[in-house]
């Protein structure tokens, strides 16, 4: 086989899904480098943003990235102002977590700009739980670090997506994500979001009763498994949430096992 034929055979094996994977790998690696360059304390935040923001076209990636930044900044600023007032009492913390968590997930399920709402609530929950876990934490520095590393990962993802859109994606175009449908009022989604808010509020009790490290990651788990399509909420959402829970549990076990290896 000639070199040209071998090259053509290799190109024939590449699919849009292959490009998807390559973009995510490049984005995460760039996000890690940028986070280290700016002296980030938690590089995982930047890497996570570099992975989650990526979409098949630069226009979608940029919009998703901007929404993530807006949600993170808004949630961080709310936590910066509210956490010192409520973190000293179990009841105040739980009520704040219940209210913000319910609002955030409900809008994440029903709003047009759902991604911003998701990270609004998620950032607030993580900052509040971290403040409860380590009361001596300089809250303003923690919020600033989370915002900077989120921005670093998001901008890295945008850069990779823009370059790919004007190079690789010309040959292997990605699928466009359908625009989200906005619901003015969705009772089933509100009931589902309230369950998530209660679960987040219960984390306050866990934080008070048990000295578990990095409990803020539990808030990520709650929001992740509860974020299901509203079409599946007619019967209460138990089945789709259970499926997401099992998938997350298996994924975390596999990732942890690979890290140990």
């Amino acid at each position: 086989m000639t070199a040209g034929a071998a090259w053509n055979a290799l190109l024939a094996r590449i699919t849009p899904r292959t490009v998807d994977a390559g973009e995510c790998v490049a984005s995460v690696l760039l996000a890690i480098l940028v986070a280290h360059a700016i002296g980030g304390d938690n590089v995982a935040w930047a890497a996570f943003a570099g992975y989650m923001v990526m979409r098949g076209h630069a226009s979608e990636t940029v919009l998703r990235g901007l929404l993530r930044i807006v949600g993170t900044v808004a949630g961080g600023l709310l936590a910066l102002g509210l956490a010192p007032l409520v973190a000293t009492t179990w009841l105040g913390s739980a009520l704040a977590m219940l209210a913000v968590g319910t609002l955030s997930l409900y809008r994440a399920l029903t709003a047009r700009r759902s991604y911003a709402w998701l990270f609004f609530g998620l950032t607030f929950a993580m900052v509040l739980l971290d403040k409860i876990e380590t009361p001596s934490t300089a809250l303003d520095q923690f919020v600033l670090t989370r915002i900077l590393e989120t921005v670093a990962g998001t901008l890295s993802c945008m850069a990779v997506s823009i370059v790919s859109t004007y190079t690789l994606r010309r040959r292997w175009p990605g699928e466009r994500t359908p625009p989200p449908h906005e619901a003015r009022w969705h009772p089933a989604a509100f009931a589902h979001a309230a369950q998530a808010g209660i679960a987040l509020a219960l984390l306050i009790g866990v934080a008070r009763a048990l000295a578990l490290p990095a409990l803020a990651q539990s808030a990520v788990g709650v929001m992740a498994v509860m974020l299901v399509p509203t079409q599946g909420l007619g019967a209460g959402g138990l089945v789709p949430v259970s499926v997401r829970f099992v998938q997350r549990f298996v994924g975390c076990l596999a990732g942890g096992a690979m890290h140990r290896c």
Side-chain angles (χ1 to χ4, degrees):
M1 180 182 294
T2 64
W7 176 250
N8 290 332
L10 176 62
L11 292 179
R13 295 176 64 87
I14 298 176
T15 67
R17 293 296 299 271
T18 308
V19 179
D20 290 345
E23 287 175 340
C24 289
V25 171
S27 176
V28 169
L29 292 177
L30 181 59
I32 291 173
L33 289 174
V34 172
H36 279 296
I38 65 174
D41 294 326
N42 196 332
V43 177
W45 288 343
F48 188 64
Y51 175 77
M52 292 300 295
V53 172
M54 184 63 71
R55 285 297 180 266
H57 193 277
S59 61
E60 291 187 73
T61 301
V62 170
L63 175 59
R64 191 173 173 86
L66 292 175
L67 292 176
R68 186 184 182 104
I69 291 173
V70 169
T72 299
V73 171
L77 291 178
L78 178 62
L80 188 60
L82 194 58
L85 303 177
V86 302
T88 54
T89 66
W90 181 92
L91 181 59
S93 300
L95 290 176
M97 191 75 88
L98 172 64
V100 175
T102 300
L103 171 65
S104 171
L105 190 64
Y106 176 71
R107 296 303 290 164
L109 292 171
T110 61
R112 183 179 178 86
R113 305 304 184 193
S114 57
Y115 203 57
W117 282 102
L118 174 65
F119 279 90
F120 165 72
L122 191 54
T123 301
F124 176 85
M126 292 180 70
V127 173
L128 179 57
L129 286 170
D130 188 79
K131 181 64 177 177
I132 293 173
E133 182 181 349
T134 53
S136 60
T137 297
L139 200 60
D140 56 345
Q141 185 60 40
F142 179 79
V143 172
L144 179 61
T145 299
R146 172 153 178 79
I147 291 174
L148 286 178
E149 292 179 351
T150 297
V151 170
T154 301
L155 293 180
S156 299
C157 187
M158 289 180 182
V160 171
S161 183
I162 290 171
V163 171
S164 179
T165 293
Y166 291 101
T167 54
L168 298 175
R169 288 298 184 181
R170 290 184 181 273
R171 180 173 181 132
W172 298 283
E175 293 185 6
R176 296 294 188 102
T177 304
H181 174 70
E182 183 168 11
R184 293 186 178 275
W185 171 242
H186 197 300
F190 182 78
H192 185 74
Q195 294 174 27
I198 293 172
L200 290 170
L202 290 176
L203 291 178
I204 302 296
V206 175
R208 297 288 184 183
L210 304 173
L212 295 179
L215 192 61
Q217 295 303 315
S218 297
V220 179
V222 171
M223 298 291 273
V225 300
M226 295 295 280
L227 189 66
V228 298
T230 55
Q231 295 88 339
L233 297 178
L238 179 61
V239 172
V241 169
S242 299
V243 170
R244 290 180 71 90
F245 174 80
V246 171
Q247 290 174 343
R248 182 174 180 86
F249 186 73
V250 172
C252 289
L253 285 180
M258 291 185 66
H259 178 71
R260 292 290 294 177
C261 293

